[in-house]
Amino acid sequence: MTEPVVLFEEVSTASGHRFGIATLNAPAALNALSVDMVRALLPRLSDWQADAGIAGVVLQAAGEKAFCAGGDLRQLYATLRECGAGRNTYAEDFFREEYELDHLIHTYAKPLMCWGHGIVMGGGVGLMAGCTHRVVTEGSRVAMPEVNIGLYPDVGGSWFLRRMPGRTGLFLALTAAQMNAADAIFCGLADHLVPQANKAQLMEAIAATRWHGEGAADRAELSRLLARAGEGASAPASKVRAHFDTINALMAGEDLLDIARRLGEFKSDDAWLSGAAQAFAKGAPSSAAVTFAIWQRVLHMSLAEVFRLEYRASLGFCAHHDFAEGIRAVLIDKDRKPQWQPARLEDITPEFVADHLRERGEMPSSLAALA
């Protein structure tokens, strides 16, 4: 029999309360987030939030390589080829349900810990970013690489990237640069560095703790457990912190063409920085343009408003060429030779960007109701 894509269990604790544990269970696919995973997680997390006997929740993944390497886009790709610029009901459901789950996580009333070991990218960052306690390990590799596939950093990325120090979030969005554990903590995407070897001990401590059944007190208790579990952990050097001034200088101003020119002329002996500039040059110009437009728009938006904007933007990308082409080049044919349209940033018009962000049909009531 095929195993469930998400495994659920409940662990008893010393206070009589229980901790819910949700485990993404597709390690061969690097736990890529599928529609079936979302449809399993959303009702269970909602039920656990409403259950007075549940003190908190742990979100983790099977295997040692990845918490979640992004979204499972193969089925979506088939519908993009079939629907073209027309209505795509699969895409509507795909993004609506994922954003409902992400919003629930951001607003969860109980301690919700994400164990972000290994690869945490795209949709995986969307799951982790909103948790109350976000754990990274010495093996964490975190990124929003959507510019590589003709998309933009969605799953709430428009919200949390805008709130990172300086213009680091814009840099990470445009260049798909990878972060280590220290980077993730510096940028506000993670809270605790805990060695992977200490995980079993932490889970034992959770079971041995007398929880209060009250959100604020239990969040504080979990923070103390994580601080103890991470004592003495050796953090890698943060590239983002080390190059903070350079990143801000590269990303300065309100004209994307100025930023693109600086990245194109940039030379550095640092492989991480130069690799980021090269990734921008290879990424989809449409992704960069819409990402920058959203960056400018969302500063004073609420989280719910951002998810509604992202829903429109995601359907807009589905109706244009580059998203399907990026999935083809990276995930389907794997030739890594996408043919972007337009091929140059200079050829993108304000009307082209606006068409990615316009309403396409009525906003789903579940997203319209988010507060």
Side-chain angles (χ1 to χ4, degrees), residues 88-163:
N88 186 329
T89 56
Y90 179 88
E92 290 172 6
D93 291 342
F94 180 93
F95 290 108
R96 172 181 56 79
E97 294 176 39
E98 184 176 18
Y99 298 168
E100 287 176 16
L101 174 61
D102 291 334
H103 186 270
L104 173 64
I105 289 172
H106 274 272
T107 58
Y108 212 65
K110 297 178 178 180
L112 176 50
M113 182 186 86
C114 177
W115 190 267
H117 176 64
I119 299 169
V120 188
M121 295 186 183
V125 180
L127 294 179
M128 183 174 78
C131 291
T132 64
H133 296 74
R134 301 159 303 174
V135 181
V136 282
T137 74
E138 69 284 357
S140 294
R141 292 165 50 205
V142 184
M144 295 297 286
E146 288 79 6
V147 69
N148 296 332
I149 58 167
L151 190 58
Y152 71 106
D154 65 326
V155 296
S158 307
W159 189 84
F160 57 72
L161 290 167
R162 193 64 170 92
R163 284 154 178 80

Side-chain angles (χ1 to χ4, degrees), residues 70 131 176 249 259 297:
C131 291
I259 293 172
R297 182 178 295 200

Side-chain angles (χ1 to χ4, degrees), residues 9-360:
E9 61 178 312
E10 295 178 6
V11 174
S12 297
T13 73
S15 60
H17 293 94
R18 307 182 311 282
F19 248 74
I21 300 177
T23 306
L24 305 184
N25 189 40
L30 299 178
N31 298 307
L33 187 66
S34 65
V35 169
D36 288 342
M37 284 179 175
V38 172
R39 289 176 176 168
L41 284 165
L42 187 56
R44 183 60 67 96
L45 290 182
S46 297
D47 289 347
W48 277 342
Q49 181 170 238
D51 185 343
I54 295 288
V57 175
V58 175
L59 182 57
Q60 60 179 15
E64 292 293 316
K65 292 183 179 180
F67 165 65
C68 176
D72 185 350
L73 300 177
R74 292 178 182 274
Q75 179 60 40
L76 179 62
Y77 174 73
T79 70
L80 297 180
R81 294 291 302 274
E82 178 183 343
C83 298
R87 183 178 180 185
N88 186 329
T89 56
Y90 179 88
E92 290 172 6
D93 291 342
F94 180 93
F95 290 108
R96 172 181 56 79
E97 294 176 39
E98 184 176 18
Y99 298 168
E100 287 176 16
L101 174 61
D102 291 334
H103 186 270
L104 173 64
I105 289 172
H106 274 272
T107 58
Y108 212 65
K110 297 178 178 180
L112 176 50
M113 182 186 86
C114 177
W115 190 267
H117 176 64
I119 299 169
V120 188
M121 295 186 183
V125 180
L127 294 179
M128 183 174 78
C131 291
T132 64
H133 296 74
R134 301 159 303 174
V135 181
V136 282
T137 74
E138 69 284 357
S140 294
R141 292 165 50 205
V142 184
M144 295 297 286
E146 288 79 6
V147 69
N148 296 332
I149 58 167
L151 190 58
Y152 71 106
D154 65 326
V155 296
S158 307
W159 189 84
F160 57 72
L161 290 167
R162 193 64 170 92
R163 284 154 178 80
M164 289 181 177
R167 290 206 157 197
T168 56
L170 181 61
F171 176 82
L172 295 169
L174 294 178
T175 68
Q178 286 191 20
M179 291 174 277
N180 60 28
D183 291 324
I185 291 171
F186 176 72
C187 289
L189 267 185
D191 308 296
H192 300 273
L193 170 60
V194 181
Q196 174 72 358
N198 291 1
K199 184 182 180 185
Q201 175 187 341
L202 173 67
M203 298 305 291
E204 290 173 3
I206 288 174
T209 295
R210 298 190 63 84
W211 299 95
H212 304 271
E214 194 278 317
D218 287 339
R219 285 192 291 273
E221 191 65 50
L222 183 54
S223 292
R224 286 189 283 269
L225 294 182
L226 286 165
R228 287 196 288 271
E231 283 178 356
S234 178
S238 168
K239 289 285 190 181
V240 178
R241 184 192 288 267
H243 299 299
F244 184 74
D245 291 341
T246 299
I247 289 169
N248 281 337
L250 287 169
M251 297 292 110
E254 298 303 319
D255 189 324
L256 181 58
L257 290 176
D258 290 343
I259 293 172
R261 175 184 52 77
R262 285 192 291 268
L263 285 170
E265 296 171 352
F266 183 70
K267 298 290 187 293
S268 173
D269 293 333
D270 184 90
W272 183 80
L273 274 179
S274 60
Q278 292 164 16
F280 172 79
K282 294 177 181 177
S286 60
S287 295
V290 178
T291 295
F292 190 68
I294 292 174
W295 167 273
Q296 292 178 306
R297 182 178 295 200
V298 301
L299 178 61
H300 299 296
M301 283 187 177
S302 70
L303 178 65
E305 289 170 334
V306 167
F307 274 121
R308 287 189 281 270
L309 174 61
E310 288 191 350
Y311 178 77
R312 296 197 301 271
S314 296
L315 295 185
F317 273 94
C318 288
H320 283 264
H321 167 271
D322 281 354
F323 187 24
E325 173 62 7
I327 297 173
R328 180 207 65 77
V330 174
L331 299 175
I332 306 300
D333 298 338
K334 300 181 180 179
D335 59 18
R336 299 276 173 176
K337 296 179 180 178
Q339 302 298 309
W340 305 126
Q341 297 179 7
R344 301 190 321 144
L345 196 58
E346 291 82 355
D347 296 330
I348 291 180
T349 65
E351 292 76 18
F352 178 83
V353 173
D355 194 64
H356 282 73
L357 302 178
R358 68 175 174 86
E359 294 277 5
R360 283 178 162 78

